[in-house]
Structure formats: structure tokens, C-alpha cells
Amino acid sequence: MKKIIVSRLLLTVAVALTLVGCKRSGSGSNTSRATGWQINSKDGGFQYNTNFKEQETAPGLVFVEGGTFTMGRVQDDVMHDWNNTPNQQHVQSFYMDETEVTNKMYLEYLDWIKRTYPPEEENFRAIYNGVLPDTLVWRNRLGYNEVMTDNYLRHPGYGEYPVVGVSWIQAVEFANWRTDRVNELSLQRDGYLKEGSNLEATADANFSTDTYINSPNQSFGGNEDILKGGNLKPQTNAAGDEINVYASRETGLISPKYRLPTETEWEYAALGLSEIRSYNVYRGRKKYPWDGQYTRSGSRKIKGDQLANFKQGKGDYGGIAGWSDDGADITGQVKSYAPNDYGLYDMAGNVAEWVADVYRPIVDDEFNDFNYYRGNVYTKNAINDDGTVKIVTTDEIVFDTLPNGKVVPRDLPGEIATQPIDEEETYLRTNFDRSDNRNFRDGDTQSSRYYADRFGYDEEETSEDVSTRKMYNAPKHNIQMDSAGNMIREYDKSNKRTSLINDEVRVYKGGSWKDREYWLDPAQRRYYPQNMATDYIGFRCAMSRVGSKSKGQRKSKN
């Protein structure tokens, strides 16, 4: 008995000594395991969120756990496109909008732009006009659709319908704006920004996530009343110096960016593979976002009901009125049909959706089968002579004229000006060697570098045209402004063009209210110019997952 008591006493002492040793070696959450110094000390020093658990799901999004799947279509290729042959891909976990972006969501964006950059001012007029959806997409030479032209975007009757008439470029700008508004609200709630700062935004003084991260004291034009107007910040140390005035990435409060999903992410999410891991599904045998091989429900309660909004035949956009109708003739209200296993609505039908990728007929899985994406254009922040980042001001706005005549700002006031990366970032690198990677491994000898030496030029092309000619010989429409500010349009009438594919066409996925059943297959892929819009393409946003692959980190098996 004495031996047992002594043994337990020795064990207790050993455990206590071990705990003391651990504490001294810096195993505590607020003690550095590298140096032993205190983290998050009230006297200043290194500040870090040691209580961070996992990424909070941002507004409107649902979690999609990543994994391996067979991308591409395994059904019959009746169109003989051969542009989506099966290939195995791995996708990291991410978040995606549960519905398409609606008219009401987009109108909130328009309202903010209009208040911050009043179109009554000449310098801002193009900013507001550049984000307006094209409501004329509803018009048809032999159809009467003026009710949609006049009402679809703004009337409350269509508020929860997916926004259309939005180009790929406009969709990207919406996602950027959304990132800023969500992060601005997060910083308000945690006391880093004055409550109601969003209502005080002006063209010269507004919130940009990138600006706040890189130069927080220049956000809101440097207005300290807003930047230090929270209830909790700033804190002071023992010497009275302000600390923790601004939130950094280390706080975990700044959310990753909203963006368009990549084609691989969109297709993976549309298939809804969260609960089904059968051999056929894993090998790419699933045809729709729902289970089964048909577009009508087999469930006893709703047997025969359509599971998506699509064109069922010539002149049949909804079916015979009554129980067998799909409930819509054009687009339908979001959440009108059941979601897939990830909780995503309308991943087939209603509207097709923009994704981030530049279109090419082949998905180059031989080069990369992890988070595949074509469209990387790497940039860096522009730096002033004094070493600070260059913030765009209202008198420094640079406008670009798109091939269709639309004028859009390159960067908005309050944002950081960017420029292409150069040799400083690419020298001796093995993973990338240029800023613009949209043409990488296109299939020509030089991976779509300029190849004028290999071809001559005809009477319709100048030597300059040839020197910049790339693999895809698409039309090149030209728009210029004369000295009086008039727009001169030069339509490319050359009969030597061989393709509509170029670096400015983007993939869109999924069937729409205007498409036959064939296009409901998530593997189908089509393309459209990034600066143009239609009445059947909308979009939804995605966000990358940081940290663990799964929600609630899995415990170690050891």
C-alpha cells in the first residue's frame, strides 16, 4: 500500500514538474514557443489572435468542403465540342453563395456607388454608368419584352430574382465592393471603426480592404475620428502610447475576399458530393445537382414536379399551366427549388453563371490538377517615392474604354493603385515568370508568346499587328477618343479571323431559363466576352477557406 501511495506521489510531482517545464518553455497560448516572450502584452509588442478557432461564414455563403472529383462530362457529347473531357481534380475547401446574386443585392451596390460617387459630377458619371446592368438585354426584334426592360432590375416584384445584364467585369467589381462592405461592418462591430462609418463615406474618404491592410491610416482619407472612433479601440500601454489602433490580418477579423468561383469550384459545388461517396459519383457519373437521371421529382409528395427552371422544348419555357409547370417563364425567384447537398440553390437552370476562368477548349490537367484556374494576372501595389502605397485620388482616376464602348474606371478613389509585376518578382523563380498568365501553355511552340517570325502578314494587317498576334486570331475591334471627346468605333471587318476565343472571353456554367435540358449538366462549359452581358447569365460569389479543410478541425488519431 505504501508503495502505491509513494508511486502516486512521485507521479503527481512528475506531472507538476512537467507542467512547470511546459510553462517555462512557452507552451501557453499567449507565450511564444519560439522565444518565450509574452504575446499580446498590454505593454505592446507582438499582437496575435491566439484564440482564433476557425473562419466565420461570411454573409450569404455556405461552406463547401473540398475534395477530389471527376471534372468534365461523361455523358454523350452530342454537340461534339470536346471541350470538357473527364479529368480528375482536387479542390480546396471554400464558401459559395447559396443563391445567385439578386436584383435587390445589386441595387444595394448601385445605391452605395451613387451616394459615394454622385453621377451628377462629371468626374464620377462614368463610374456609376459603368456598374449599371444593361437592361436592354431583354429586347428581341420579334418579341415584346419591354415590361422586363423597364421593371426587371428595380421593381420589388423582381427583387429576389437573379440579376442579369451584368458583364463579367461588373460581376468582379461587385465582389470587390462586397468584400469592403463586409469587412467594414466587421471592424465596426469590433470597435476598430466608428459605428456608421459607411454612411460617412465620400469619394475621397471611404473604406477599402486592401488600403486598410497596407496603409490603415489612409483609410477614410486619414479621418482619425472614424478610424479611432470605436468603443473598444484604441488601447494604451503603461507608457500611455496607443497600441492595437488598427486591425491587421493577425487579428483574424479581416475576411478573405469575395470573388467569382473558379470553373473547377463551381462544377464541384454544383454536383453536391457532400453526402454521396459511391463509386459512380466519384468517377463522375452524376448528371445533375440532384440525384437521379431525370428533371422531374420522383418523391411521392411532389412526384412529377420539375426540379429546375429551364426551356423544356420549342416554345415551351415553363410547361402547361398547372401542377406540371416549372413555375417560371423567364427567370424565377431564388430558392424556388430544393437545394443540392451543399445547400446551394439553382445550380442548374434559372440563370447560367459567370465563373472566373478565361476560356480555353482544353482544361490543362497535365500541368495542374490542384485548384485549377486559368486567368492569373499578377500585380503589385504601386509605391510612391517615399515608400508608401499609392492611393488613388479623385483627380487621378484612370478610365479604360472597353471594346463595346463602355467606359470603366481602372481603380476607384480610395483604392491602392496596382501595376504588373516585373523582374524583381520573377527573377530566378520556377513557379511563375510573368505577370499575365492567361496564355500559359496554350498549345503553340512558345506557350503563346508572340510568334510573328513564324508567319507572314496579309494586306489587311500591319507589321505591328503581326508583332502582337497570338495563338487565337480573334477579331480586334478598336475604339478611340478624338480630341473633342467623341468616340470613334472601328469594327474589325477582316475575313482572316478564325476564332472568337481570346484572352477576354470567360467561361460561364450551368443551364438557364433559356436553355434546353442538355445544358443543365454541371460539366457543360460555354464562353462569352467578359465585357458583354445577356438576359440569361447571372453570377454568384465565392470565398476561399483559410485554415482547416473541414469545419471544426478533426482531432488527431494519435
Side-chain angles (χ1 to χ4, degrees):
M1 186 68 178
K2 291 182 179 179
K3 290 183 179 180
I4 295 175
I5 295 174
V6 172
S7 297
R8 287 180 177 176
L9 180 60
L10 290 173
L11 178 61
T12 302
V13 172
V15 170
L17 290 173
T18 301
L19 292 175
V20 171
C22 287
K23 187 173 182 180
R24 287 176 178 173
S25 64
S27 63
S29 61
N30 282 319
T31 304
S32 169
R33 290 194 293 116
T35 64
W37 287 95
Q38 286 294 305
I39 300 173
N40 301 322
S41 169
K42 292 182 179 180
D43 292 329
F46 180 47
Q47 304 293 314
Y48 193 82
N49 184 356
T50 55
N51 295 317
F52 184 82
K53 300 301 182 184
E54 67 173 17
Q55 182 176 346
E56 182 180 346
T57 303
L61 304 179
V62 296
F63 176 68
V64 179
E65 183 174 348
T68 300
F69 81 113
T70 299
M71 181 182 179
R73 190 173 42 77
V74 295
Q75 314 297 328
D76 292 337
D77 190 358
V78 298
M79 301 295 287
H80 298 288
D81 287 331
W82 306 111
N83 69 347
N84 53 357
T85 54
N87 65 91
Q88 190 163 289
Q89 294 284 338
H90 188 91
V91 181
Q92 279 190 299
S93 298
F94 62 101
Y95 298 83
M96 182 177 275
D97 270 334
E98 63 174 348
T99 73
E100 295 119 348
V101 172
T102 64
N103 286 316
K104 185 166 67 174
M105 294 166 69
Y106 202 88
L107 285 173
E108 184 182 1
Y109 170 47
L110 294 179
D111 177 71
W112 187 91
I113 292 290
K114 192 171 186 177
R115 285 188 288 107
T116 308
Y117 308 105
E120 297 82 16
E121 298 184 27
E122 181 66 29
N123 197 34
F124 300 145
R125 188 169 302 147
I127 295 178
Y128 182 70
N129 292 339
V131 299
L132 281 173
D134 182 4
T135 58
L136 300 184
V137 294
W138 289 107
R139 285 183 172 169
N140 188 300
R141 293 181 183 87
L142 294 178
Y144 183 73
N145 299 330
E146 290 306 293
V147 65
M148 279 86 79
T149 300
D150 295 337
N151 295 287
Y152 183 81
L153 173 64
R154 299 184 183 275
H155 197 284
Y158 293 118
E160 293 299 327
Y161 283 53
V163 67
V164 296
V166 175
S167 70
W168 182 91
I169 293 174
Q170 291 173 318
V172 169
E173 289 304 313
F174 172 87
N176 293 336
W177 167 84
R178 188 177 176 185
T179 300
D180 294 339
R181 303 290 73 74
V182 168
N183 281 325
E184 184 177 11
L185 179 60
S186 175
L187 294 176
Q188 281 188 30
R189 287 173 173 172
D190 214 66
Y192 284 96
L193 291 178
K194 178 181 178 181
E195 187 174 346
S197 63
N198 52 303
L199 300 177
E200 299 185 32
T202 64
D204 288 309
N206 58 70
F207 179 85
S208 163
T209 299
D210 287 337
T211 301
Y212 188 85
I213 290 173
N214 289 277
S215 185
N217 61 343
Q218 294 192 64
S219 295
F220 287 102
N223 187 336
E224 292 193 358
D225 179 54
I226 294 177
L227 294 172
K228 301 180 182 180
N231 298 323
L232 303 178
K233 306 293 183 297
Q235 299 174 353
T236 56
N237 60 15
D241 301 321
E242 290 182 344
I243 60 173
N244 304 335
V245 176
Y246 305 115
S248 62
R249 287 198 191 275
E250 288 83 356
T251 63
L253 295 175
I254 298 176
S255 168
K257 293 183 178 182
Y258 283 88
R259 55 177 173 78
L260 290 182
T262 66
E263 180 181 3
T264 310
E265 288 175 333
W266 193 98
E267 187 171 328
Y268 177 83
L271 287 171
L273 305 177
S274 64
E275 300 297 332
I276 307 172
R277 296 298 182 193
S278 68
Y279 175 80
N280 283 338
V281 172
Y282 181 78
R283 297 302 298 171
R285 302 295 177 184
K286 199 161 185 245
K287 186 176 182 181
Y288 298 115
W290 53 85
D291 296 335
Q293 299 295 309
Y294 306 100
T295 63
R296 291 188 181 273
S297 173
S299 173
R300 179 178 296 180
K301 290 184 178 180
I302 55 172
K303 193 169 185 177
D305 284 3
Q306 288 287 7
L307 297 173
N309 173 22
F310 65 100
K311 183 178 180 181
Q312 299 172 34
K314 185 174 177 61
D316 186 354
Y317 288 84
I320 299 173
W323 71 270
S324 65
D325 191 356
D326 68 13
D329 41 24
I330 54 169
T331 58
Q333 183 169 315
V334 297
K335 296 188 177 182
S336 295
Y337 304 91
N340 70 0
D341 287 341
Y342 283 127
L344 302 170
Y345 293 86
D346 295 318
M347 295 301 284
N350 214 18
V351 291
E353 299 177 17
W354 289 114
V355 296
D357 295 57
V358 170
Y359 177 81
R360 290 295 185 266
I362 296 175
V363 173
D364 190 0
D365 62 310
E366 291 184 1
F367 185 81
N368 184 38
D369 55 8
F370 179 79
N371 276 359
Y372 183 88
Y373 166 64
R374 178 180 289 279
N376 283 314
V377 179
Y378 300 122
T379 60
K380 62 180 180 180
N381 295 335
I383 304 298
N384 294 316
D385 293 337
D386 60 359
T388 59
V389 292
K390 180 176 177 58
I391 309 298
V392 177
T393 61
T394 54
D395 56 353
E396 295 176 326
I397 307 174
V398 177
F399 291 96
D400 292 326
T401 304
L402 304 178
N404 62 350
K406 278 259 188 181
V407 178
V408 296
R410 191 172 299 173
D411 298 295
L412 291 174
E415 296 178 345
I416 298 176
T418 58
Q419 62 190 48
I421 61 172
D422 52 30
E423 192 173 311
E424 290 184 10
E425 287 75 30
T426 62
Y427 182 65
L428 292 183
R429 283 191 178 272
T430 58
N431 55 330
F432 67 95
D433 61 358
R434 68 181 96 169
S435 172
D436 189 345
N437 295 273
R438 292 175 296 177
N439 282 317
F440 183 66
R441 285 173 60 95
D442 259 352
D444 59 311
T445 304
Q446 295 295 321
S447 295
S448 71
R449 295 180 188 274
Y450 301 133
Y451 59 109
D453 292 341
R454 298 173 55 207
F455 298 93
Y457 61 93
D458 57 42
E459 63 279 0
E460 296 181 9
E461 295 180 304
T462 65
S463 57
E464 183 178 356
D465 291 330
V466 175
S467 67
T468 58
R469 188 167 60 186
K470 299 180 182 179
M471 178 178 176
Y472 292 97
N473 186 24
K476 297 177 182 178
H477 309 303
N478 186 37
I479 292 184
Q480 294 180 333
M481 304 290 288
D482 63 17
S483 57
N486 299 314
M487 192 173 293
I488 303 174
R489 297 179 172 89
E490 296 181 3
Y491 184 79
D492 188 343
K493 298 180 180 180
S494 171
N495 59 4
K496 301 292 184 180
R497 302 306 182 193
T498 58
S499 173
L500 294 176
I501 299 173
N502 56 40
D503 290 344
E504 282 72 46
V505 295
R506 300 284 173 166
V507 178
Y508 69 94
K509 301 280 283 184
S512 74
W513 66 272
K514 219 170 186 178
D515 292 314
R516 299 288 186 96
E517 176 189 349
Y518 174 79
W519 298 105
L520 300 184
D521 184 343
Q524 295 290 359
R525 56 199 306 261
R526 292 174 282 180
Y527 65 92
Y528 206 71
Q530 66 182 24
N531 58 284
M532 297 177 67
T534 75
D535 60 353
Y536 59 87
I537 301 179
F539 70 101
R540 72 180 75 208
C541 296
M543 180 183 289
S544 298
R545 164 84 171 176
V546 295
S548 63
K549 177 179 182 290
S550 305
K551 270 207 160 188
Q553 290 192 7
R554 296 178 180 176
K555 294 181 179 180
S556 173
K557 296 180 181 179
N558 297 327

